[in-house]
Amino acid sequence: MSILLETIDRRLAELLAQLAAGLDAPPGQRLRLEGLMEAAVLLEIAAEAELAALLETRYREAFGHSPAEDLGEGWQSFFPFPQIPAMARRAPVYPSTRDDL
């Protein structure tokens, strides 16, 4: 395996593990990883399908189920390659004013 694919694999696992643990993942982290994935395809180091399969595998390892179970069967139309469906959980929101105003 090339160093580029090893880096993609490691960063993808780290990113998804962070999100599965309820931690924040900066957008730059995801965007750099998407760039690496696109570079791997452009340099013919990996095929799109291979990286999509890796994404699904790492997603399942992190969350315990496939992206389709979270996002629906057509999730790839909303997140076309090389986009990674990496969203943090919504933060709890508490009202800052009383309800009786």
Side-chain angles (χ1 to χ4, degrees), residues 94-101:
Y94 301 100
S96 59
T97 60
R98 299 187 328 247
D99 287 338
D100 61 346
L101 291 178

Side-chain angles (χ1 to χ4, degrees), residues 35-85:
L36 291 176
M37 292 170 66
E38 187 170 16
V41 170
L42 291 172
L43 294 172
E44 298 179 355
I45 294 171
E48 239 180 77
E50 179 183 354
L51 294 174
L54 177 63
L55 169 64
E56 290 208 33
T57 298
R58 295 295 175 241
Y59 194 99
R60 185 175 297 279
E61 288 172 357
F63 292 97
H65 53 269
S66 71
E69 291 176 69
D70 276 342
L71 306 166
E73 290 299 323
W75 70 271
Q76 289 174 318
S77 63
F78 291 109
F79 299 97
F81 182 85
Q83 291 183 30
I84 301 168

Side-chain angles (χ1 to χ4, degrees), residues 11-21 55 58-59 62-63 84-85:
R11 289 186 184 185
L12 186 57
E14 289 170 358
L15 173 69
L16 295 173
Q18 279 176 256
L19 294 170
L55 169 64
R58 295 295 175 241
Y59 194 99
F63 292 97
I84 301 168

